[in-house]
């Protein structure tokens, strides 16, 4: 790639290449940082110095290809135009700028006071080509761009997109503030699902359409059949009660004819029970999602734990992908 680098290879007393040290400038070290384990392996396996130099050149070619945009100097017009745009936008709207002026994070506040970030990745052809825009949105954010546009235009489009999602975030924030959300634990702004606790080992997973947050969402009940079946029946029978003028949470209360447990009055441990087999709440990041149907038991399990347990029981039977057997707790 037309680049020259100076290196020094220091051999130990026994002159074994596998124990050699490779010294170079900080610039080359930074480029090869992600490949240091590969280079160490090559030092151990190459029979001679010539073979290692060939391997080193190959690795360096790959490293330069993957980080070319970080090391190719931008034209002066790029920096003058970018700084002019930043001045025009206002430094108070900037949350972060990297040392090479290639990554910029802009901050904004929507009409409800929520804070948002937008990350811009600029290439050397800016402003002829628009930057890549990364946002924490539940929908795609597409930027309308022409060569005469600036960062101000992108920022204004960002603000407009925030207002279009206002009702969706209002609905999700109300759920987060007034109910016990079991999943996700720390929801991102792009998250469209909430698993809301209804009672002990009973919850509902709600999938909300970010473009139409006031429409009846997709609901999936989790828990023992004798508990969730009446809830499914209520939801189906009361669909006609859905009122777009009410909030999503209030509509769920009306349709299910329940009051969701409040996080102000109860602890999460009242609903988030550990798996009855592995005694942990999370397995590979997932909570227990299988519950014993026996009304007097209701013990939750991870699906993987329960499947492995039932497979080991002589009395269990399997039909296709479904396995039947006794509960580890109540033997029902």
């Amino acid at each position: 790639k037309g680049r020259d680098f100076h290196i020094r290879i220091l051999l130990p007393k026994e002159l074994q290449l596998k124990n050699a040290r490779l010294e170079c400038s900080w610039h080359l070290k930074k480029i090869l940082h992600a490949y240091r384990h590969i280079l160490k392996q090559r030092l151990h396996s190459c029979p001679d110095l010539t073979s290692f130099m060939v391997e080193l050149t190959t690795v360096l070619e790959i490293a330069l290809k993957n980080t070319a945009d970080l090391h190719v100097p931008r034209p002066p017009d790029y920096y003058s135009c970018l700084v002019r745009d930043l001045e025009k936008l206002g430094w108070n709207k900037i949350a972060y700028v990297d040392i090479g002026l290639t990554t910029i994070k802009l901050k904004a506040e929507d009409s409800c006071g929520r804070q948002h970030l937008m990350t811009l990745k600029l290439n050397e052809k800016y402003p002829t080509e628009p930057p890549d825009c990364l946002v924490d949105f539940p929908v795609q954010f597409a930027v309308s761009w022409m060569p005469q546009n600036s960062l101000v235009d992108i920022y204004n489009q960002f603000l407009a997109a925030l207002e279009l999602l206002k009702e969706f975030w209002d609905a999700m924030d109300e759920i987060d503030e007034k109910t016990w959300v079991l999943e996700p634990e720390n929801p991102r702004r792009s998250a469209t699902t909430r698993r809301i606790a209804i009672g002990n080992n009973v919850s509902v997973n709600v999938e909300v359409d970010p473009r139409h947050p006031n429409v009846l969402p997709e609901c999936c009940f989790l828990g023992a059949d004798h508990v969730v079946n009446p809830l499914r029946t209520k939801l189906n029978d009361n669909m006609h009660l859905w009122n777009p003028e009410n909030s999503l949470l209030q509509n769920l209360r009306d349709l299910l004819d329940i009051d969701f447990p409040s996080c102000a009055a109860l602890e999460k441990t009242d609903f988030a029970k550990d798996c009855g087999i592995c005694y942990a709440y999370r397995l590979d990041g997932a909570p227990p999602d299988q519950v014993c149907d026996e009304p007097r038991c209701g013990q939750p399990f991870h699906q993987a734990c329960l499947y492995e347990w039932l497979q080991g029981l002589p009395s269990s039977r399997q039909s296709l992908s479904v396995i039947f057997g006794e509960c580890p707790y109540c033997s029902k």
Side-chain angles (χ1 to χ4, degrees):
K1 294 191 175 292
R3 307 286 299 277
D4 287 323
F5 297 97
H6 291 242
I7 66 167
R8 183 192 305 178
I9 296 178
L10 301 178
L11 293 173
K13 291 181 179 180
E14 68 274 15
L15 302 180
Q16 292 292 317
L17 187 62
K18 64 180 181 179
N19 296 322
R21 282 181 54 83
L22 184 66
E23 292 187 352
C24 60
S25 67
W26 68 267
H27 187 61
L28 180 57
K29 184 178 179 181
K30 185 178 179 182
I31 295 172
L32 293 174
H33 179 72
Y35 302 86
R36 60 191 185 281
H37 298 300
I38 297 175
L39 290 176
K40 191 173 182 180
Q41 183 186 27
R42 295 294 186 268
L43 270 174
H44 275 72
S45 59
C46 286
D48 52 52
L49 184 60
T50 305
S51 301
F52 174 71
M53 291 303 296
V54 173
E55 296 272 12
L56 175 62
T57 306
T58 303
V59 171
L60 184 53
E61 289 279 351
I62 296 170
L64 287 171
K65 182 179 179 181
N66 291 338
T67 58
D69 58 324
L70 299 176
H71 302 286
V72 176
R74 306 287 170 99
D77 289 349
Y78 167 86
Y79 296 105
S80 60
C81 180
L82 180 57
V83 171
R84 185 173 64 249
D85 282 357
L86 291 174
E87 291 279 2
K88 187 177 177 183
L89 177 65
W91 293 99
N92 60 320
K93 298 181 177 66
I94 299 168
Y96 168 82
V97 180
D98 74 333
I99 197 169
L101 288 181
T102 58
T103 301
I104 299 170
K105 293 184 180 180
L106 303 180
K107 57 185 178 181
E109 187 177 285
D110 63 24
S111 57
C112 292
R114 288 179 287 251
Q115 299 293 324
H116 303 270
L117 283 177
M118 174 172 58
T119 301
L120 305 178
K121 301 279 189 180
L122 298 97
N123 64 39
E124 60 183 358
K125 295 182 180 179
Y126 177 85
T128 305
E129 294 181 2
D132 293 329
C133 302
L134 308 176
V135 293
D136 190 17
F137 283 4
V139 296
Q140 186 177 2
F141 178 60
V143 173
S144 176
W145 182 265
M146 297 187 71
Q148 63 267 29
N149 289 143
S150 68
L151 296 183
V152 175
D153 300 291
I154 291 182
Y155 191 78
N156 289 334
Q157 292 177 51
F158 181 48
L159 292 176
L162 292 179
E163 292 311 302
L164 290 176
L165 292 166
K166 174 185 176 299
E167 290 186 357
F168 167 73
W169 285 322
D170 286 346
M172 305 308 268
D173 283 352
E174 184 183 19
I175 290 174
D176 293 337
E177 291 166 9
K178 297 182 179 179
T179 70
W180 264 120
V181 174
L182 303 179
E183 296 293 320
E185 281 198 314
N186 299 299
R188 298 172 60 88
R189 285 296 174 193
S190 55
T192 59
T193 61
R194 295 292 190 274
R195 183 181 169 191
I196 309 170
I198 297 176
N200 192 11
N201 299 325
V202 185
S203 59
V204 59
N205 199 65
V206 178
E207 175 81 34
V208 183
D209 184 347
R211 292 185 174 87
H212 306 286
N214 292 327
V215 174
L216 176 63
E218 183 179 336
C219 299
C220 177
F221 294 96
L222 302 168
D225 288 344
H226 71 277
V227 178
V228 301
N229 284 340
L231 293 171
R232 290 193 188 102
T233 302
K234 281 184 182 179
L235 182 67
N236 292 329
D237 292 346
N238 295 333
M239 280 185 180
H240 64 281
L241 298 177
W242 187 274
N243 184 358
E245 299 299 320
N246 293 337
S247 70
L248 186 149
L249 182 59
Q250 185 58 51
N251 274 311
L252 288 176
R253 289 188 183 121
D254 294 341
L255 267 64
L256 298 175
D257 192 23
I258 60 171
D259 281 326
F260 290 98
S262 169
C263 50
L266 296 166
E267 296 294 330
K268 188 174 182 179
T269 51
D270 295 329
F271 314 105
K273 301 297 183 183
D274 293 341
C275 170
I277 296 173
C278 71
Y279 300 109
Y281 181 62
R282 296 190 180 277
L283 180 68
D284 296 331
D289 56 356
Q290 304 294 314
V291 180
C292 176
D293 286 333
E294 169 60 36
R296 289 171 295 180
C297 180
Q299 175 65 41
F301 306 97
H302 295 117
Q303 182 172 326
C305 294
L306 191 59
Y307 188 79
E308 187 175 345
W309 172 277
L310 293 175
Q311 274 190 318
L313 292 180
S315 57
S316 298
R317 55 191 176 85
Q318 186 162 353
S319 175
L320 299 178
S321 61
V322 181
I323 191 167
F324 302 86
E326 295 177 353
C327 171
Y329 265 58
C330 68
S331 299
K332 297 293 184 181

